[in-house]
Structure formats: structure tokens, C-alpha cells
Amino acid sequence: MSTPKLTIKDLHVAIEEKEILKGVDLEINGGEIHAIMGPNGTGKSTLASALMGHPKYEVTKGSVILDGEDVLEMEVDERARAGLFLAMQYPSEIPGVTNSDFLRSAVNAKRGEGNEISIMKFIKQLDKKMAKLGMDESFAERYLNEGFSGGEKKRNEILQMMMLEPRIAILDEIDSGLDIDALKVVAESVNSMKSPEMGVLIITHYQRLLNYIQPDFVHVIMNGRIVKSGGPELAEKLEAEGYDWVKEELGIEDETVESKA
Amino acid sequence: MSVDTEQLFDRQTVTQLSQSQQEPEWMLEFRLKALEAASRLRLPKLEKTNITRWNFTSFPAYQPEEAVKSAKDLPEHLQSLLSGEADDNLIVQKNSSPVVQQIDPALKEKGVIFTDLATAVREHPELVKKYFMTKALQPDEHKLAALHAALWSGGAFLYVPRNVEVEAPFQTLFWASGEKAGLLPHLLVMAEDNSSLNVVANYIADENTHAVFNGALEVFVGANARVRVAALHTLNDTTVDVSYRRAEVDKDGHMEWIIGELNEGRTVSDNTTHLRGQGGIALVKSITVGAGEQRGNITSRVHHWGTHTESDIMARGVMKDKAQNILNGITKIEKGASKANGVQAEKVLMLSREARGDANPILLIDENDVKAGHAASVGKIDPIQMYYLMSRGLSRAEAERLIIFGFVGPVLDTIPIESLRERLYGEIERKLKP
Ligand SMILES: Nc1ncnc2c1ncn2[C@@H]1O[C@H](COP(=O)(O)OP(=O)(O)OP(=O)(O)O)[C@@H](O)[C@H]1O
Ligand SMILES: [Mg+2]
């Protein structure tokens, strides 16, 4: 398979009539790791959700192309099957559906009818990946995210990513709620998947995660736009000095999407 | 609308029915008295469901059928409801007659009785006379109970003596066949002290049969006995189905109900447990799935009389198309039932705009020193849950399916026979197909 390519052009997104993203441009290729940083409420999750097709987010302008296909034309499930994956900041809980039944359905949805994975093979893969993430076996038979702690939900998102092997993975604050050890485990898992077959977009507030997952590009989002891009050194500077210098440099007073740009 | 019961069923019909089952005099008298009551009594009053125009009375009172050689000779769709073991404890009733009866001889030796009720009336009159519609369900509660008392046929009688524990379920299948049919089976279950047993009751009608079911189930749970009853109704859209189920639970007895209401027509289902002795426990799990023009009123009720009694009612309803179901949960803690603990939750999932579902949780508490809780919800499938599942590649239909089965699954998974469970999964799947 060719290396994946996701191209976002001039993306505008509104939620309940309010414009949140005001023209985002970004290109992610297989093998690359991008990090997006930015203060609270600047539109990071909005970008992730709009890419995945969350029903509350309305794309009002712009384009998103994955491997030559128009993502915005696709239903949510089609986007997933095209190779897009979003580890969500707040994953849903689905009572009564076991983690393993759900994962098997998801794996089979990707593989397509007539090409379903054998149960034995599935269980073997699942066991292996759960062990790698330090998840107790019992999580396979527990209901999807129900009663999971914050950190357990995050690990479960990564488990899904590992089982589904996406072409473009977006990780929205995967580090929030993780203890130091879990952070390392999750980072190692992401690193182990690093290949030209997958591009990664990491949304985070903290340099700490980026110490473990080395990004190739770092972008700063404010006012619903990417206002600055650079290499890993940009993340270090933000960690040390905060966002004030960026705002000053660009003449931004209020960085949230509330401000009239 | 008042239906003149006397006109539809006269004393002669009832007498013939009684004679055909070779009943003793006392049973005939019991029937005739109930028949008289039926013409005088009103229909039960149901919360938010008007049943005055439903057909409860137009059916052939007595429709005998030939016995079948063995369960293997039953139609395939019936066999799929049974566990299919050679030593099954099984009674199949077609219209008015028991057509298959079998019991593991080893159980018979231990003193277990499992036979159609008409036979039990003749062979064990002392037990039947004492418990049949005298303590749990009464003929004069309302017109439907009286009609049942006057016109019951076939049915089953299960008696498990003290200290006898039976793992394999006692299976009963009540099957309506032909153009018109009336089934009024009565299941009388007696679990003596320290015994344990499982019962599965299936209610089914052939595709084009216009049937009236008016069934009753009475369960007596002895001290420290454990009883689990699964009643599964999968009747067609031209059938009216009435079920009155009662359990009386003695000290430290344990009663578990699993009720599957998957009818396509009209349903009145009333399930009541009385926790009489200290420390008794009642678990009530009920699933209602409605599609098309289905209508139903499903009541789950527990009365706490003894101290330290516990109950848990879990009712789930899934409704699509124009189905309308009322789910009532009633927990009553009587004066003197101190340290009782009663909880209940009714949840309804609506799959279409035109469907109607009501969840009515009711707690009635006449004692101070108790715990009680209830929860109820009526809602649609959460679009955010759908988004989450679809974001992993599941199609809309598959995501919806997972959520629905996740909703009913915890109740469904407690059904003790695997083939039956699978069949029900299939049945629900079929009903909910777009
Ligand atoms: N349903 C909604 N109605 C109105 N405004 C909303 C809604 N959802 C999100 N917003 C607003 O959109 C803006 C961007 O939110 P978003 O979740 O994208 O921020 P974020 O950058 O991910 O923040 P954080 O770092 O806190 O996760 C916020 O101001 C938020 O309040
Ligand atoms: Mg966010």
C-alpha cells in the first residue's frame, strides 16, 4: 500500500452556528508525527472531531482529502474504514457491549464481509496487545468503557488503535489522566506502530508526552487557526515559556475562538 | 364495551370441557362458579392502556389435539425453542391438549411430579385443591382471571420435594395452531423447602392463527428454596396474550423471573411476587420488544411482607415502528417488613418517532426502616454513542444493533438454556430489522 496522505485546506467548522475553526491548513504524511498544542478552548478537539465526522460539528468551508478521497463526503464509518482513527478526549461508554465483541466487530468491519478474522486469531492478537498496554485480561469482557477510570479509557483508545492499524491516527489528549508509567506504556505502543504506513497527529498540552513520542512537526493553534508551526524545539519553548510570547509576536489578545479575528 | 361471557361460554361448554379432562366434581364446581363470576366482573384496570376493545372472549373453548409420538416429531420451529436433549423434562400443549409429556425417570424416583395439570387434578387432588387459584391468583380478581379459572385446559403441574435440587430446566411449550385457537394453560409450580428448580415456559402461535391466550402461572417457593422461571412469549400479530403470574416466597426463598415479551399483537402481562417470609429474595428481569402495531402493558410487582426481604426489578423495553408499551414497576414494602430492600429500574429505548413507551416506577412504602430505590428512563439511541461506534468502522446498522443488544443483553444473557437464548437473540434481531 502507498503511504497515507491527509490534506486539510482552509477548514472552517461551526458548532451550533458558532464558527470555531476559521481556516486550518495542515498536511500529514505517512511516517510523520505532528503535534498540535494550544491553550484551552482554541479548537483542537474541534479539528479532531470535524475530521472524524462528529454529528454536532458542521464543516462550513474547506476540504479534507485522504489518499485522494474526499473525507467530508464520507459517513463516519466510511472515514474509519478509509483509515482515519481518532482516540477521543472523552470516549463514550456503551453499556452491555463487551470490549471484545465491539473490537471484533470493528476489526471485521475494516476487513470486510467474507474476510472476517477467526476468533482464535482475534483473541491472540487482543491478548498480546492488552498485555503490551498493561491492561488486565478482564477488560476484554467488561462493557465498553463503562466504569473505566480516566486512564483506563485512554489505554482502551490506544488498544483500539493498535487493533485497527489506521493510516492516520489522531490522538486527542491521550496523555490526560495517565500516570507516568501508563504514559510511558502508551507512548511505547504508539512508537512501536511508527511506520511509513501511518501518519500521527497528537493533540496535547504537555511537552512530557512529546519527550516520549518525538514529533517531527509542532503546530500552535489559536483563534481556530494554526498560527505557528515548527520542529520539536517549538514544543520545548512553549513548555518553558507558555503562550504569551506567541500572542505577542502575532498581536493576539484573546486566543480563544470567542474573539473576533 | 361489555362482553356477555355467559353468551359466549355457557355452563354446558364448561361442563363438557371438565368432563373431557375427567375432572372430579370439585373442579367442575370451581369452574362453574368462576364462569358465573366472569359474567359479573370487570376487566382489570391497566395503567395507561385501554383494553376494553381487545378480544379476550372470541375463541373455541375446547380444541382437543392428538398426542405426538415424541418431541422429535414436532415442527422444527418449535424444536428450536427446546433444549433438545433426550432426557428433557418437557410438556408440550397444542391448543387444549398436552401432546408431548416426558420426564427423566430418575427425577420421578426422587418424588418429583411433572405432568399436565388435568392429570394432576385427578392424581394429586390434595395438592392441587389446596394451591390452585386459592392463595396466589384468585378467580374473582377480575374478568380475565375468572375466565381463566372457568376455561383453563392442559397446563402443567410441577412438584419438587424437600431437599431435591434439579439443574435441568422443566420445559413447557404452549402452542396455538389452526385458524382460531384459545389457550388457557395454567402452570402450578411447588418448590418445597430447600429444593431448587428451573422452569421455562414458551408461548407460541402459528403464523396465521388468530389466538387468544389467557395463561396463568402460580409459583410457591418453600423456605430456602430456589426457583427460576423464564416465560417467553413470541406470539403473532393476530393474537391477544394475557399472562397473570404470581409467586409466594417463604422464608429465605429465592425467586427469579425472566420475562420475555416479544409478541407482535396485544399483551397484558402482570407479574407479582409476594415475599412472605423473612429474608426472601425476588429478582425480576423483563424484556419487551415491540414492532409494528404491537401494544402492551407490562407490570412487574413485588410486595415485601417479611423482614430483611430483598427485591430487584429490571425491566427493559425496545420499541420501533408504532409499537406502544407501558412498563410498570411496583415495589410495595408493607408495614412490619423492616430492613427490606427493594430496587427497580425501567428503561425504554425508542427506535422511532411514532413508537410510544412509558416507564412508570412506583414505590409504596409503609415501613420506616427500609431501603428502596428506583430509576426510569425513556430515550432514543444516543447519537454520540453511535458516533463513537461508527468512528471505529461499524456501519450504522451494526452500531445500532450493538447498542440495542447491549441494552437488552444483560437480561437476555441470564436465560438458562443456550439454544433458547440464541433463538431469542434471533427473534429480537428479526423484529428490529429495518
Ligand atoms: N456544543 C457547543 N456549543 C457551543 N460552543 C461549543 C460547543 N462545543 C464546543 N464549543 C466551544 O468551542 C471552542 C473550542 O472547543 P474545543 O473543544 O475544540 O477546544 P480545545 O482546544 O480542544 O480545548 P481543550 O484544550 O480544553 O480540550 C470552545 O470555546 C468551546 O466552548
Ligand atoms: Mg480538547
Side-chain angles (χ1 to χ4, degrees):
Chain A
M1 258 212 187
S2 61
T3 53
K5 182 188 199 74
L6 181 74
T7 313
I8 303 164
K9 275 200 183 134
D10 194 29
L11 188 67
H12 290 244
V13 175
I15 176 160
E16 279 156 23
E17 314 272 294
K18 189 172 100 183
E19 184 162 70
I20 310 274
L21 291 189
K22 300 165 181 172
V24 171
D25 292 278
L26 186 64
E27 183 177 304
I28 302 171
N29 292 292
E32 295 173 357
I33 295 184
H34 293 247
I36 288 195
M37 304 184 81
N40 293 129
T42 48
K44 302 182 296 297
S45 293
T46 302
L47 173 61
S49 302
L51 291 176
M52 197 70 242
H54 190 294
K56 280 207 168 149
Y57 296 77
E58 189 198 348
V59 174
T60 50
K61 197 178 164 196
S63 69
V64 179
I65 307 293
L66 173 63
D67 302 331
E69 306 276 342
D70 184 349
V71 170
L72 301 178
E73 283 289 302
M74 300 180 197
E75 288 285 340
V76 176
D77 55 324
E78 292 171 318
R79 296 182 194 200
R81 293 196 297 270
L84 212 53
F85 180 89
L86 169 58
M88 298 190 192
Q89 187 173 1
Y90 305 109
S92 290
E93 299 190 2
I94 319 278
V97 178
T98 65
N99 217 359
S100 104
D101 280 352
F102 159 65
L103 270 170
R104 196 148 61 88
S105 303
V107 168
N108 283 334
K110 185 187 166 203
R111 294 170 64 106
E113 244 179 81
N115 188 29
E116 284 86 358
I117 189 169
S118 80
I119 295 197
M120 286 306 292
K121 199 168 162 200
F122 170 77
I123 291 176
K124 236 165 106 183
Q125 273 188 23
L126 184 63
D127 282 352
K128 203 169 114 197
K129 284 171 179 163
M130 285 178 60
K132 195 160 182 182
L133 284 165
M135 291 173 78
D136 188 84
E137 280 174 20
S138 62
F139 280 94
E141 290 315 311
R142 278 181 62 178
Y143 294 147
L144 180 51
N145 291 332
E146 195 180 50
F148 284 26
S149 76
E152 287 162 356
K153 281 184 184 163
K154 297 295 160 128
R155 270 190 235 216
N156 207 36
E157 293 291 284
I158 296 300
L159 176 66
Q160 292 173 37
M161 174 176 101
M162 293 171 79
M163 293 298 290
L164 293 172
E165 300 177 338
R167 290 170 66 72
I168 297 287
I170 306 165
L171 312 180
D172 191 357
E173 295 204 20
I174 199 67
D175 49 342
S176 74
L178 287 183
D179 61 45
I180 309 267
D181 293 334
L183 184 70
K184 279 189 204 165
V185 168
V186 163
E188 269 165 31
S189 302
V190 174
N191 284 331
S192 75
M193 288 181 72
K194 196 175 168 183
S195 87
E197 300 283 291
M198 182 173 80
V200 181
L201 177 62
I202 296 174
I203 296 171
T204 181
H205 287 290
Y206 304 106
Q207 167 62 26
R208 203 177 59 185
L209 177 64
L210 304 181
N211 287 338
Y212 296 112
I213 309 175
Q214 180 80 26
D216 304 296
F217 306 93
V218 174
H219 313 275
V220 178
I221 193 165
M222 283 185 189
N223 288 337
R225 274 196 200 98
I226 289 176
V227 293
K228 198 168 182 64
S229 295
E233 74 292 342
L234 178 55
E236 276 159 37
K237 188 163 182 197
L238 290 170
E239 174 88 0
E241 299 177 24
Y243 291 101
D244 282 351
W245 65 273
V246 185
K247 286 195 260 178
E248 235 161 76
E249 198 179 288
L250 300 166
I252 296 170
E253 274 170 22
D254 179 359
E255 72 280 11
T256 68
V257 293
E258 297 297 335
S259 64
K260 301 275 171 288
Chain B
M1 186 176 82
S2 85
V3 178
D4 190 347
T5 316
E6 288 285 6
Q7 247 176 24
L8 292 165
F9 305 104
D10 51 22
R11 292 174 63 91
Q12 198 186 342
T13 310
V14 170
T15 306
Q16 274 169 6
L17 168 58
S18 181
Q19 280 168 354
S20 72
Q21 297 196 154
Q22 298 142 54
E23 289 172 357
E25 193 59 27
W26 63 267
M27 184 53 89
L28 174 60
E29 270 167 33
F30 179 92
R31 287 179 184 276
L32 291 173
K33 205 171 148 220
L35 181 68
E36 187 268 316
S39 64
R40 162 170 55 82
L41 292 170
R42 292 170 177 277
L43 288 171
K45 254 203 138 29
L46 304 182
E47 194 74 26
K48 295 182 184 164
T49 307
N50 182 356
I51 58 170
T52 51
R53 304 187 73 87
W54 294 15
N55 169 31
F56 299 110
T57 49
S58 166
F59 58 86
Y62 186 61
Q63 241 175 325
E65 301 286 342
E66 293 284 308
V68 175
K69 216 182 291 148
S70 88
K72 295 263 169 300
D73 300 315
L74 293 168
E76 208 159 305
H77 68 285
L78 296 187
Q79 293 198 35
S80 71
L81 291 168
L82 308 170
S83 67
E85 308 290 333
D87 58 354
D88 273 349
N89 304 306
L90 172 65
I91 291 178
V92 178
Q93 174 176 344
K94 182 179 183 186
N95 297 334
S96 302
S97 312
V99 294
V100 178
Q101 291 205 51
Q102 55 189 52
I103 176 172
D104 180 356
L107 289 178
K108 243 177 159 167
E109 242 154 67
K110 288 185 187 163
V112 173
I113 304 167
F114 184 48
T115 175
D116 69 281
L117 186 60
T119 302
V121 168
R122 293 193 305 273
E123 295 180 1
H124 308 282
E126 66 302 337
L127 286 174
V128 178
K129 201 169 178 176
K130 192 161 166 205
Y131 289 96
F132 175 78
M133 295 195 84
T134 56
K135 295 177 181 320
L137 182 65
Q138 316 278 345
D140 58 3
E141 286 186 24
H142 44 67
K143 187 188 282 292
L144 296 177
L147 271 173
H148 175 85
L151 293 163
W152 72 271
S153 65
F157 177 72
L158 172 61
Y159 174 86
V160 175
R162 277 175 79 96
N163 301 326
V164 174
E165 301 185 11
V166 185
E167 187 67 37
F170 293 91
Q171 304 177 60
T172 56
L173 177 62
F174 302 107
W175 166 31
S177 188
E179 199 180 323
K180 276 187 128 196
L183 270 90
L184 295 88
H186 192 101
L187 239 153
L188 183 57
V189 177
M190 300 180 59
E192 293 280 21
D193 298 356
N194 293 313
S195 66
S196 96
L197 62 92
N198 292 287
V199 174
V200 176
N202 276 292
Y203 300 81
I204 185 162
D206 286 344
E207 210 171 320
N208 299 312
T209 302
H210 290 249
V212 176
F213 275 70
N214 182 346
L217 223 161
E218 295 185 284
V219 186
F220 296 90
V221 183
N224 206 32
R226 298 179 69 89
V227 173
R228 176 159 59 186
V229 174
L232 303 157
H233 300 248
T234 49
L235 299 167
N236 62 26
D237 64 350
T238 49
T239 291
V240 173
D241 185 22
V242 178
S243 304
Y244 278 85
R245 309 184 198 90
R246 295 281 190 274
E248 296 275 326
V249 182
D250 213 337
K251 183 171 182 297
D252 296 321
H254 192 284
M255 177 72 217
E256 179 177 352
W257 292 103
I258 300 160
I259 308 297
E261 300 288 2
L262 303 176
N263 292 337
E264 292 174 353
R266 326 241 121 169
T267 307
V268 176
S269 167
D270 178 302
N271 199 83
T272 303
T273 303
H274 291 275
L275 297 170
R276 301 280 180 195
Q278 175 189 328
I281 295 178
L283 304 176
V284 185
K285 299 165 188 168
S286 121
I287 301 178
T288 306
V289 180
E293 306 254 327
Q294 184 269 342
R295 296 277 177 283
N297 190 293
I298 319 293
T299 300
S300 309
R301 192 186 290 115
V302 179
H303 285 254
H304 293 251
W305 300 88
T307 64
H308 300 87
T309 45
E310 288 179 26
S311 70
D312 188 351
I313 299 171
M314 269 171 63
R316 302 282 156 99
V318 181
M319 251 128 277
K320 69 176 259 200
D321 305 332
K322 293 181 176 167
Q324 294 185 6
N325 282 287
I326 313 294
L327 267 51
N328 306 301
I330 301 163
T331 307
K332 172 109 201 270
I333 302 184
E334 308 287 348
K335 181 111 196 91
S338 58
K339 305 273 191 274
N341 184 1
V343 295
Q344 55 164 299
E346 287 78 46
K347 294 186 182 172
V348 178
L349 192 59
M350 310 279 267
L351 302 181
S352 91
R353 237 176 245 276
E354 292 128 318
R356 198 181 129 200
D358 264 357
N360 302 315
I362 300 169
L363 291 179
L364 302 164
I365 299 177
D366 291 337
E367 170 64 44
N368 293 323
D369 186 16
V370 301
K371 278 194 238 165
H374 62 82
S377 66
V378 176
K380 295 181 296 188
I381 289 189
D382 177 5
I384 305 304
Q385 288 186 341
M386 286 292 288
Y387 162 66
Y388 185 71
L389 294 179
M390 288 173 73
S391 80
R392 301 319 187 220
L394 304 188
S395 66
R396 186 168 292 279
E398 176 71 5
E400 209 173 90
R401 201 185 138 261
L402 275 188
I403 290 173
I404 293 168
F405 278 101
F407 182 76
V408 295
V411 181
L412 218 52
D413 288 342
T414 58
I415 294 170
I417 300 179
E418 195 186 335
S419 60
L420 188 62
R421 208 163 47 231
E422 308 258 295
R423 155 84 209 242
L424 272 165
Y425 265 101
E427 193 77 27
I428 295 177
E429 193 128 13
R430 193 180 59 75
K431 272 190 98 160
L432 296 176
K433 248 202 183 88

